[in-house]
Amino acid sequence: MKKLFILIAALFMFTVGNAADFTGVKIYLNPGHGGYDANDRNVLTIPYQLGDTLGYYESKSNLIKALELRDKLKTQGATVYTSRTLNRTEDDRSLSEIAEEANANSVDAFLSIHSNAFNAASNYLLLLFHGRDNSPKIPESLPQARAAWE
């Protein structure tokens, strides 16, 4: 629990340019929606037409964010695992398989990076925590989600 709180706090520190020491911390990154397929969402972005892989796709955006975060975490000593490093349909693994891999590596934190492109016109932040109401299994995750929502 303490390592998770430290990880979350340190990730926010990236945005203000401070560095943290993650030596000994194991982190699993899951960039969601792999591969320009039916499990992906495309948003119209100028100058690209819908369906153009040079435009915005959740899968591509999630992967870019995860790889950048992976590199930053590694430079600060973290051991980082990722569910995929390419944007191909065959790399879009089931969440249960990904969770098994994270558990097998006894990671300290699991971050699933997603964006939600709705109706090919909007994109919004989505924060999930383990629980179905305002009493999550990890109590610190609710104020963290509320703070990030702003």
Side-chain angles (χ1 to χ4, degrees), residues 63-132:
L63 182 59
I64 290 168
K65 289 179 248 182
L67 295 178
E68 182 68 23
L69 180 57
R70 176 202 64 189
D71 294 346
K72 286 183 179 187
L73 289 167
K74 281 184 170 185
T75 63
Q76 294 178 301
T79 300
V80 183
Y81 304 92
T82 57
S83 60
R84 66 183 179 96
T85 57
L86 299 171
N87 198 24
R88 306 174 307 177
T89 299
E90 58 265 34
D91 298 314
D92 192 10
R93 300 160 48 202
S94 71
L95 190 53
S96 60
E97 178 186 353
I98 292 166
E100 284 178 21
E101 184 175 89
N103 289 334
N105 286 293
S106 300
V107 298
D108 299 299
F110 180 102
L111 301 171
S112 188
I113 300 172
H114 284 262
S115 58
N116 283 299
F118 176 68
N119 70 14
S122 63
N123 189 11
Y124 58 90
L125 176 65
L126 175 65
L127 297 162
L128 301 174
F129 52 79
H130 191 175
R132 298 181 185 269

Side-chain angles (χ1 to χ4, degrees), residues 17-30:
N18 294 329
D21 181 10
F22 284 108
T23 303
V25 177
K26 295 191 286 185
I27 303 164
Y28 195 100
L29 301 177
N30 172 34

Side-chain angles (χ1 to χ4, degrees), residues 1-10 22 25 108 138 140:
M1 181 85 70
K2 184 178 178 183
K3 284 186 178 182
L4 179 60
F5 179 75
I6 291 169
L7 173 65
I8 292 169
F22 284 108
V25 177
D108 299 299
I138 299 174
E140 295 86 357

